[in-house]
Amino acid sequence: MIRNRLRDIWKDGRPVLNGWLSIGNSFTAEIMAAQGYDAITIDIQHGALDYSAALVMLQAMRGSGVVPLVRVPWREPGIVMKALDAGALGIICPMINTAAEAAEFVSFMRYPPLGQRSFGPTRANIAYGGYGVEANAEVLAFAMIETAAGVANLEEIAATPGLDGIYVGPADLTLGTQAGRLAPAFDREEPEMIAMIQRIAAVCKDKGIHAALHCGTPAYAARALTWGFDMTTVSGDSRLLAAAASDSVATFRKLTGPSVAAKKGEGY
């Protein structure tokens, strides 16, 4: 029987920690899934991967018990339904600008009479030991607010029946609302950006849905919980790998210094 553990976490009043996968590799997915995250999102939109890679990544994460989510490339029914059929228990959809777009996205997530999802849960049926219309109540639909239009229509989008939450990507939110004045990045400190991010969380709470924020550091993610977010993503596989490798190299260079460095022309 399908069961989305994130709903139980929220019911208990606890926040969800989400991991992020941009590297199309099943071993990377398995490693990340073993680290204690509540959920992990496979990023088909900007990640270096496609559906075929996402499928084996979902398989690799199965044994960990982590809740699998997928960010799809766009508001397109084929990839939303295919990701759900592959076993995703939630979909993050980018660039939702209106309530109509949010309603269309939600319709892709649910079987009739609640939506227009086509039935064919090929892998999901195996992964969850049976899969039917009860999935309507378990899968999570997250709309991304990333533009000035999305912010202007925030209340209407958040009130969309069947929408489970709003996911904030600070980089695109900055690009989409600040007319090039600010560079895209996580962990915004500008008062106007913080106010906008806090407003999104407040509207989500008012409408009874979940608020999620993509963060660069654990400290910022913990801070976001005090603003009303109940799911935070901290960095991602590619950034974590780069940071750990960079720190390792820098530490080695500091400890060894130039005296033991290989001389030009030596070696084999």
Side-chain angles (χ1 to χ4, degrees):
M1 175 66 71
I2 182 176
R3 181 62 185 167
N4 194 326
R5 193 168 60 86
L6 298 192
R7 295 189 182 277
D8 296 330
I9 292 174
W10 285 321
K11 186 177 180 180
D12 291 341
R14 295 181 286 124
V16 166
L17 176 61
N18 180 51
W20 200 261
L21 295 172
S22 298
I23 301 171
N25 185 276
S26 60
F27 187 35
T28 304
E30 186 178 29
I31 291 170
M32 288 284 285
Q35 303 313 311
Y37 293 98
D38 300 306
I40 290 185
T41 299
I42 298 173
D43 183 11
I44 304 181
Q45 184 191 18
H46 291 305
L49 60 103
D50 59 10
Y51 168 80
S52 295
L55 176 61
V56 295
M57 292 164 74
L58 288 164
Q59 292 173 310
M61 293 193 293
R62 180 181 178 186
S64 69
V66 71
V67 177
L69 310 177
V70 168
R71 178 165 73 170
V72 295
W74 204 250
R75 193 185 71 260
E76 188 276 315
I79 189 59
V80 171
M81 296 182 197
K82 203 166 180 67
L84 292 171
D85 291 341
L89 290 181
I91 300 292
I92 300 171
C93 184
M95 295 292 179
I96 298 294
N97 295 314
T98 67
E101 291 178 354
E104 183 182 46
F105 162 54
V106 168
S107 77
F108 303 155
M109 297 284 299
R110 307 248 160 55
Y111 294 120
L114 300 181
Q116 57 175 319
R117 182 182 173 189
S118 176
F119 192 79
T122 307
R123 178 184 173 267
N125 191 52
I126 301 300
Y128 301 115
Y131 191 100
V133 295
E134 72 276 4
N136 282 350
E138 298 298 330
V139 296
L140 294 163
F142 278 92
M144 292 196 75
I145 298 293
E146 305 178 89
T147 65
V151 173
N153 295 316
L154 174 60
E155 283 80 2
E156 292 81 3
I157 291 171
T160 302
L163 187 69
D164 296 288
I166 287 176
Y167 191 98
V168 180
D172 272 317
L173 184 66
T174 302
L175 283 176
T177 61
Q178 300 303 308
R181 186 176 62 87
L182 299 173
F186 300 142
D187 298 2
R188 309 308 310 196
E189 292 293 352
E190 303 85 3
E192 63 272 32
M193 291 306 303
I194 290 178
M196 189 182 304
I197 291 168
Q198 290 177 330
R199 179 183 164 228
I200 292 172
V203 169
C204 287
K205 183 175 182 180
D206 180 64
K207 301 299 182 183
I209 64 173
H210 301 288
L213 180 66
H214 204 113
C215 305
T217 63
Y220 198 94
R223 183 177 166 196
L225 299 181
T226 68
W227 298 341
F229 286 91
D230 53 16
M231 183 170 90
T232 52
T233 301
V234 179
S235 193
D237 56 354
S238 60
R239 290 175 180 269
L240 291 169
L241 175 60
S246 177
D247 181 67
S248 178
V249 170
T251 300
F252 175 82
R253 299 299 186 204
K254 182 179 180 180
L255 292 173
T256 60
S259 61
V260 296
K263 296 180 180 179
K264 184 177 180 181
E266 294 185 356
Y268 59 95

